[in-house]
Amino acid sequence: MRCGADERPLVLKPQRVEHHGGRYPAVLVGHHGSLRHPGGASLATPTAAAVCQERRTHGRVPHVPTLLIVHHTPSPHCQALFEAVVSGATTPEIEGVRVVRRAALSATASDVLEADGYLLGTPANLGYMSGALKHFFDQIYYPCLDETRGRPFGYYVHGGNDVTGAVRALDTVTTGLGWRRAAEPVTVTGEPGKADIEACWELGATVAAGLMPGS
């Protein structure tokens, strides 16, 4: 069963149920899985939605923090940085955090609203962030403006020789959204070196670790 699925009756294993203010051992009868208690009265078969709500109410479906990585990766150099960020975010030492990766042109406002933190990656194009990442922000800015304030984020930028304009643009947009910087940005020009790869690994690990339950 998946929470949020249809509400067809479920066939449940025998269990104790609440009925008329008391608890009775319930047994399954009939092929539809209707319930009867020892007094003989039929009890309504719970639906998937009802069971999901019961689990949420009693903490049986805990929230799993989600880190959303939104990236535009048009070159081998950008790919190397992206892979390092993902490796850091998914290192085994970080537990209880779900990592979702989306290309900037396919990421949606729903992706952003469902996440708890963000990592952004872009090349510097003509003194600005990439057109793909700008498109992402254009799509999600107002739908996510109120709901995502205060959420942590980080970013990395790769450029041929200068990334100043891209960094300024990212700072402006994320400040407008009210996002909270969880790590210093990583900026790289030219071919990434070992230190650049390590810095991106640390970026991914830092932002993900900040989402761990109890952190």
Side-chain angles (χ1 to χ4, degrees):
M1 181 195 73
R2 202 167 44 83
C3 290
D6 59 67
E7 298 189 5
R8 292 173 295 177
L10 300 178
V11 177
L12 304 179
K13 295 180 180 180
Q15 58 179 298
R16 300 180 67 85
V17 298
E18 295 285 347
H19 184 68
H20 295 303
R23 298 183 67 87
Y24 300 91
V27 296
L28 297 180
V29 298
H31 68 281
H32 291 296
S34 56
L35 301 177
R36 293 181 183 275
H37 67 67
S42 295
L43 301 177
T45 304
T47 63
V51 172
C52 286
Q53 182 59 44
E54 176 74 9
R55 289 178 176 176
R56 292 190 187 98
T57 301
H58 291 85
R60 293 170 61 189
V61 182
H63 173 69
V64 178
T66 298
L67 173 62
L68 175 65
I69 302 177
V70 179
H71 63 102
H72 182 51
T73 307
S75 70
H77 293 339
C78 288
Q79 182 68 28
L81 301 182
F82 168 67
E83 290 178 357
V85 165
V86 172
S87 178
T90 57
T91 185
E93 287 78 8
I94 297 175
E95 300 179 341
V97 177
R98 174 173 172 254
V99 177
V100 175
R101 292 167 273 182
R102 292 284 186 271
L105 289 176
S106 64
T108 66
S110 294
D111 292 326
V112 175
L113 291 170
E114 292 171 2
D116 301 278
Y118 315 102
L119 268 169
L120 311 168
T122 181
N125 287 348
L126 302 175
Y128 200 69
M129 72 179 84
S130 71
L133 196 64
K134 181 182 183 299
H135 173 80
F136 162 74
F137 281 124
D138 288 344
Q139 298 301 307
I140 67 96
Y141 192 91
Y142 287 107
C144 300
L145 183 59
D146 292 331
E147 296 295 328
T148 62
R149 285 189 180 279
R151 293 184 186 175
F153 81 101
Y155 67 84
Y156 63 93
V157 180
H158 177 268
N161 50 37
D162 182 62
V163 298
T164 304
V167 167
R168 184 184 303 115
L170 282 166
D171 286 343
T172 298
V173 175
T174 52
T175 297
L177 284 165
W179 292 358
R180 172 177 56 84
R181 184 185 290 181
E184 287 301 308
V186 176
T187 59
V188 181
T189 55
E191 182 176 358
K194 181 179 179 181
D196 300 320
I197 298 300
E198 290 176 350
C200 280
W201 191 98
E202 290 290 342
L203 174 65
T206 299
V207 178
L211 299 178
M212 288 177 62
S215 62

